[in-house]
Amino acid sequence: MEKTRYQTGLENLVAIDGKSGEAVIKSLEAIAPDLGRFIIEFAFGDIYSREALTLRERELITISALCAMGGCEPQLKVHIGGALNTGISPEKIIETFLQCVPYAGFPRALNAVFAAKEVFAERSVRPVCLREPTR
């Protein structure tokens, strides 16, 4: 039997975002359950299940886009967790935000790095500084 979009999406959501993703969907149940269903079916069922990109690549793109958009820190934190869950190192997450500086600006990159700092602290993850600061 073929899986429904919802089943596929829910599997991807749990695999990528774990309890954080489930908490987002649960928080929508009382106010906008259809929004939760759209997230599961469309974003995680249709988009995340496409074969051209790996889940790691999708999470790097997602955290880059959320960083560049700015004002999406709650969603960014969920996807930083998703990036860690898919095997992306904390160092690559920080480097991704540094790459966004020339295009999105320092304030958005700073917000993203501070969101990552919170997620890393919650998970007891310590990134290794990739480079000593120059003076």
Side-chain angles (χ1 to χ4, degrees), residues 58-117:
R58 290 181 188 284
E59 282 303 297
L60 281 176
I61 292 165
T62 301
I63 64 173
S64 299
L66 291 170
C67 171
M69 288 172 60
C72 304
E73 285 73 24
Q75 294 79 19
L76 182 57
K77 288 177 188 177
V78 169
H79 284 283
I80 290 167
L84 291 169
N85 292 344
T86 60
I88 298 170
S89 72
E91 295 79 14
K92 280 195 177 190
I93 291 169
I94 297 301
E95 194 64 30
T96 298
F97 298 145
L98 294 175
Q99 179 64 30
C100 291
V101 171
Y103 306 98
F106 280 99
R108 289 181 176 159
L110 281 165
N111 290 342
V113 166
F114 288 130
K117 184 178 179 182

Side-chain angles (χ1 to χ4, degrees), residues 19-83:
K19 298 216 179 287
S20 296
E22 290 178 297
V24 170
I25 301 304
K26 188 157 185 65
S27 73
L28 294 169
E29 286 177 357
I31 191 161
D34 285 342
L35 182 56
R37 183 174 49 80
F38 297 156
I39 290 168
I40 291 171
E41 290 178 349
F42 177 68
F44 288 92
D46 294 341
I47 302 301
Y48 271 81
S49 64
R50 296 174 59 87
E51 295 180 11
L53 299 171
T54 67
L55 291 180
R56 286 181 184 171
E57 291 167 330
R58 290 181 188 284
E59 282 303 297
L60 281 176
I61 292 165
T62 301
I63 64 173
S64 299
L66 291 170
C67 171
M69 288 172 60
C72 304
E73 285 73 24
Q75 294 79 19
L76 182 57
K77 288 177 188 177
V78 169
H79 284 283
I80 290 167

